[in-house]
Amino acid sequence: MLALSGTGIGRGIAIGCALVLDKSQNEVPQFQIDADRVDREVSRFNEAIATVRRELKHLQSNLPPTAPPETGAFIDVHLLMLDDPLISSQPGWSIQNEKINAEWALKNHADTLVAFFDNISDPYLRTKKDDVAQVVGRIMDVLTEDKERRPNISTLDHTLTDRIIVTRDLSPADTVMLRHRHMTAFVTSFGGPISHTAILARSLGLPAVVGLHGVIDTICDGDQLIVDAATGTVLVAPDDRLLAQFQVLQEQQRKQRQALAKLGKEKSVTLDDEEITLLANIELPEDLDALDGSGAAGIGLYRTEFLFMNRAQPPEEEEQYQAYCQVVKSVRGPVTIRTLDLGADKQVDGGRDEPQAAITPALGLRAIRLCLSEPSLFKPQLRAILRAAVHGDARMMIPMLSSLQELEQSLSLVREVSAELEREGIAFNPNVPIGGMIEVPAAAIAADLFAQKLDFFSIGTNDLIQYTLAIDRVDDSVNYLYDPLHPSVLRLVRTIIQAGSEADIPVSMCGEMAGDPVFTRLLLGLGLRHFSMEPSQLLEIHQQVRHSRLAELPGWAERILACTDSTTLHGLVDQLNVEEYA
Ligand code: PEP
Ligand code: MG
C-alpha cells in the first residue's frame, strides 16, 4: 500500500479504480531510411491515416446520447484536419524525397501547420492548433503502435463507473466533459486549490487531490484507490482493514449530508434573526439540477464562458439567448449572468500555451479586456443577456474590471446594443441591473468610485487573492502562499463591503471563500450579507449561518483585522468558529 499526499479539493471520500490518462510526451523517433524501405514507409503512413479516419468515423456514429451536442462538430473538425494535405499527403512526399521515417515526416509538416495557426490573429482560429496536435497525436499513436493508447476525456467510455481519473492536469474544458463520464474523483500532478479546475471539481461534487507530482508514474491503470479530499490523501492499493475503515467514514459522511438536507427548506437566518442571502454559482444550465434541495435563493454567479468551450465556433446570439433564458426561467430569484471570462487558464479548448501570453496569462487579455478588444464576440452576448432579462430577474455582471474606463466602455456597448435591439423591434429589458466583479486590487482600492457607476458588487476572492498576493492560481508551486486570511486580502474585502454600503448597493461574494464555512462568521462580521457558492457548499454555509449571532461578530472581525501576526490571526479565527452561541 502507498499513501500519497497533495492538495485536497472539494469534500468527501471516493473509492474506485484508477484510470490513468497520460498525455504521452514520448519523443518522436527520427531516423533516415534506406531507399528500399521508402515504399513500405509510405504505405505504413497511409494506413495510419486510414486507421485514424476509420476510428473517428466510428466514434462519430457511436456517440452516446449523453454526449454534449458539440462533440459531433468536434470530431468533424478532426476529420477535416485529417484531409489537410500537410497531414495526409505531404508527409508521404517527404518520406520519398528526404528518406526519413513516417513519424519524423509527419512531425515536420504538423509543426508547419501549428506555426500557421499560431500566426493567425483570430483567437478562435488560433486555438485550432490544439486540434492539429490531437489529430497528429492519434496518427503518431498508430504509427508507433502504442498498444496502450490512452483515452482522452472526449473519447472516454461513458459506461465506466467508479473510475478515478489520474492525469497530469485537467483543463477546465476537460473537467467540464467529466460531467458526462460518471467519474467518482480525480487526481492530478498539477493544479492549485482555486484553479478553475478545482472549482469545477467542487461544482461536480467530485472529491479530488491535485498537486501530486509524479503521480502518473506511481499509479497504474486499475489500481484500487481511496481519495480523501479533506486530507488531500490518495491511498493506493489499500489493505482490507483500511478499505473497511474508509467505507465506514464514507457512510458517515453520507449520513451527515443527509441530515443537512432538511435545511434546504428553511430560511437562512442567524440566531438573532437576520436573513442572509445564499446564492449558487453555476457553469452551465445543466447545473440547475444541483440546486434542488440546496435552498439557493438564486444564482449569484453564472460563469457563461463554459458555453464557449469544447467547440469549434463561439455560440451565436440565439444559442446564448436560449441558454440564458433556460436559466432565468427555471430559477426563482435573481440570476446573475457574468459576461465572458475567457483567457488565462480558461481557453476555449483547454489549450494553455498561447506563445505571446505564456509568461503571465493571468495578467493578459482575459475577461472584460478580451471582450472589449473583440466587440464582435462581446456584443452578441450583451444582446442575448438583455433579451433573456425579459423573462425574469436577470442581472449582468462584468468580470475583472480594473479601470473605470473599462466600465465606461462596457456601459457604452450596453447602450449601443440596447439601441440596436430597439431599432430592430426585438424585446429586451432596458433596466437590467449591471454589477461588477471586484477581483483586481485596483478595483478594490477604488471601490468607492466603481460603486457610483454600478448597481451591485460581487467580490471574486479567487482572483482577488491571486492578484493581491501575486500567486498564479494554477501554479501549484506557489499554492502554499494562498491565504484568504492574509491581512491585505481581509482589508480589501472590508474596503469593498464598506464602499458598497456607503453607496447603498448590495455586495455579495462569489469566490471560493464564500463557500468555506471557516470564513462565514468572519465575513458576516465584516458586514457581508450575500454569499454565492458551488451548490454543494450551500447547506454547510446555511448551517453555519444558523449557528451564528450576528451582533457578536463585528467585534471579532475588528480584532482579527487588528492582528499583527499571522499565527494569532489564524488562532482567533479558530476561536471564533468554535464559539457556541445560544
Ligand atoms: C473569483 O475570481 O473569485 C471568481 C468567482 O471568478 P472565477 O473563479 O471564475 O475567476
Ligand atoms: Mg475571477
Side-chain angles (χ1 to χ4, degrees):
M1 192 192 81
L2 192 64
L4 307 168
S5 173
T7 306
I9 304 292
R11 247 152 259 264
I13 290 167
I15 300 175
C17 257
L19 180 65
V20 183
L21 305 185
D22 184 5
K23 291 184 182 156
S24 178
Q25 298 184 345
N26 291 343
E27 288 283 301
V28 172
Q30 300 183 359
F31 50 87
Q32 298 289 149
I33 53 170
D34 293 335
D36 61 359
R37 192 180 151 176
V38 164
D39 287 348
R40 246 188 312 141
E41 196 65 3
V42 172
S43 327
R44 192 168 77 85
F45 175 74
N46 290 338
E47 274 162 29
I49 296 280
T51 304
V52 171
R53 183 171 289 112
R54 262 196 317 276
E55 284 183 354
L56 287 173
K57 287 198 165 149
H58 177 77
L59 210 64
Q60 177 79 289
S61 43
N62 289 284
L63 281 178
T66 51
E70 60 276 12
T71 315
F74 209 50
I75 298 173
D76 278 342
V77 171
H78 285 196
L79 279 164
L80 277 175
M81 295 244 160
L82 208 55
D83 287 334
D84 191 295
L86 277 170
I87 290 186
S88 62
S89 54
Q90 295 202 16
W93 183 90
S94 292
I95 296 169
Q96 271 172 343
N97 293 286
E98 295 164 29
K99 312 266 179 309
I100 57 177
N101 66 316
E103 290 89 341
W104 191 1
L106 174 64
K107 181 183 181 305
N108 287 347
H109 291 285
D111 285 350
T112 311
L113 200 53
V114 166
F116 167 78
F117 280 114
D118 259 348
N119 288 326
I120 293 179
S121 59
D122 183 301
Y124 280 97
L125 286 177
R126 210 161 53 223
T127 59
K128 290 289 138 255
K129 70 175 183 195
D130 299 310
D131 289 293
V132 176
Q134 284 165 13
V135 171
V136 169
R138 275 183 178 274
I139 308 168
M140 283 294 183
D141 283 347
V142 176
L143 282 173
T144 51
E145 292 182 275
D146 185 353
K147 292 279 186 277
E148 287 180 63
R149 293 175 63 193
R150 302 294 182 199
N152 61 43
I153 302 286
S154 59
T155 58
L156 269 184
D157 182 349
H158 71 292
T159 58
L160 295 175
T161 52
D162 284 343
R163 293 298 168 123
I164 296 175
I165 289 191
V166 179
T167 186
R168 286 175 205 280
D169 199 5
L170 282 173
S171 68
D174 282 342
T175 317
V176 89
M177 289 179 102
L178 287 178
R179 270 169 221 278
H180 306 278
R181 300 295 185 283
H182 309 296
M183 295 296 137
T184 47
F186 65 78
V187 176
T188 63
S189 306
F190 303 107
I194 50 165
S195 62
H196 288 98
T197 301
I199 292 168
L200 278 165
R202 287 190 195 98
S203 104
L204 293 171
L206 292 179
V209 174
V210 302
L212 265 177
H213 290 222
V215 71
I216 278 293
D217 305 315
T218 316
I219 295 178
C220 301
D221 246 354
D223 276 349
Q224 183 162 45
L225 302 181
I226 297 176
V227 174
D228 183 359
T231 57
T233 312
V234 178
L235 300 174
V236 188
D239 58 29
D240 290 346
R241 192 181 51 85
L242 259 178
L243 197 60
Q245 273 178 11
F246 273 91
Q247 279 161 344
V248 171
L249 264 176
Q250 206 180 25
E251 182 55 18
Q252 279 171 358
Q253 292 182 351
R254 197 187 59 76
K255 285 194 174 135
Q256 278 165 5
R257 277 197 306 275
Q258 223 172 23
L260 277 183
K262 65 178 188 314
L263 290 181
K265 295 196 181 66
E266 308 283 331
K267 266 190 167 177
S268 66
V269 283
T270 59
L271 286 167
D272 37 3
D273 229 20
E274 183 87 25
E275 189 160 349
I276 305 300
T277 315
L278 300 185
L279 302 156
N281 294 352
I282 62 163
E283 278 79 41
L284 289 168
E286 62 210 69
D287 291 337
L288 291 174
D289 294 346
L291 261 57
D292 286 345
S294 70
I299 305 292
L301 169 63
Y302 175 6
R303 289 182 165 101
T304 57
E305 53 276 10
F306 286 88
L307 206 62
F308 290 63
M309 290 181 183
N310 296 313
R311 54 191 297 155
Q313 294 294 329
E316 294 193 345
E317 175 185 328
E318 195 55 31
E319 185 185 337
Q320 293 188 56
Y321 167 66
Q322 296 297 346
Y324 307 152
C325 271
Q326 188 186 341
V327 178
V328 169
K329 285 180 182 169
S330 354
V331 171
R332 243 185 303 136
V335 173
T336 315
I337 306 176
R338 181 173 74 181
T339 59
L340 202 50
D341 182 5
L342 276 177
D345 66 328
K346 289 187 285 196
Q347 301 293 330
V348 282
D349 63 350
R352 284 219 186 143
D353 48 359
E354 298 216 0
Q356 313 89 313
I359 305 169
T360 46
L363 302 181
L365 199 62
R366 180 190 158 186
I368 192 60
R369 301 171 179 186
L370 177 73
C371 287
L372 290 175
S373 74
E374 291 197 39
S376 60
L377 181 70
F378 196 25
K379 281 167 66 177
Q381 178 169 50
L382 296 179
R383 287 171 59 105
I385 297 174
L386 294 179
R387 288 173 58 199
V390 169
H391 305 285
D393 184 3
R395 293 144 195 220
M396 184 188 294
M397 180 158 77
I398 306 169
M400 212 193 166
L401 285 167
S402 61
S403 77
L404 288 161
Q405 285 88 331
E406 281 168 344
L407 176 54
E408 283 299 349
Q409 270 179 281
S410 309
L411 297 176
S412 139
L413 275 175
V414 173
R415 285 192 293 274
E416 192 179 314
V417 298
S418 301
E420 273 172 26
L421 289 166
E422 181 85 60
R423 269 198 310 278
E424 293 163 23
I426 298 175
F428 72 102
N429 181 348
N431 300 314
V432 176
I434 300 179
M437 299 255 332
I438 306 297
E439 52 183 347
V440 174
I445 294 164
D448 55 333
L449 304 180
F450 282 87
Q452 291 169 25
K453 298 183 190 304
L454 286 166
D455 297 317
F456 62 92
F457 282 165
S458 187
I459 310 176
T461 49
N462 307 336
D463 280 313
L464 189 63
I465 295 170
Q466 149 164 275
Y467 295 127
T468 304
L469 304 184
I471 45 169
D472 192 325
R473 53 197 276 194
V474 299
D475 183 347
D476 57 288
S477 65
V478 287
N479 274 349
Y480 70 100
L481 291 169
Y482 169 76
D483 182 12
L485 293 177
H486 190 290
S488 316
V489 174
L490 294 182
R491 277 156 201 251
L492 288 179
V493 168
R494 179 178 59 182
T495 303
I496 302 165
I497 296 173
Q498 278 174 355
S501 147
E502 277 158 26
D504 204 19
I505 60 168
V507 179
S508 88
M509 179 180 281
C510 60
E512 294 300 286
M513 196 175 174
D516 189 335
V518 169
F519 308 117
T520 312
R521 285 181 169 175
L522 171 58
L523 292 171
L524 288 169
L526 287 170
L528 192 74
R529 298 291 178 267
H530 307 272
F531 294 66
S532 190
M533 65 206 78
E534 301 310 324
S536 59
Q537 313 292 116
L538 275 158
L539 293 174
E540 221 174 320
I541 300 299
H542 190 152
Q543 187 184 40
Q544 192 71 342
V545 166
R546 292 179 81 82
H547 289 159
S548 301
R549 182 170 293 284
L550 208 55
E552 315 265 345
L553 301 177
W556 278 95
E558 251 170 60
R559 279 202 282 153
I560 289 167
L561 262 87
C563 261
T564 49
D565 86 286
S566 155
T567 319
T568 319
L569 190 153
H570 281 82
L572 265 180
V573 173
D574 289 345
Q575 268 182 44
L576 166 61
N577 286 333
V578 294
E579 194 83 353
E580 291 280 350
Y581 295 115

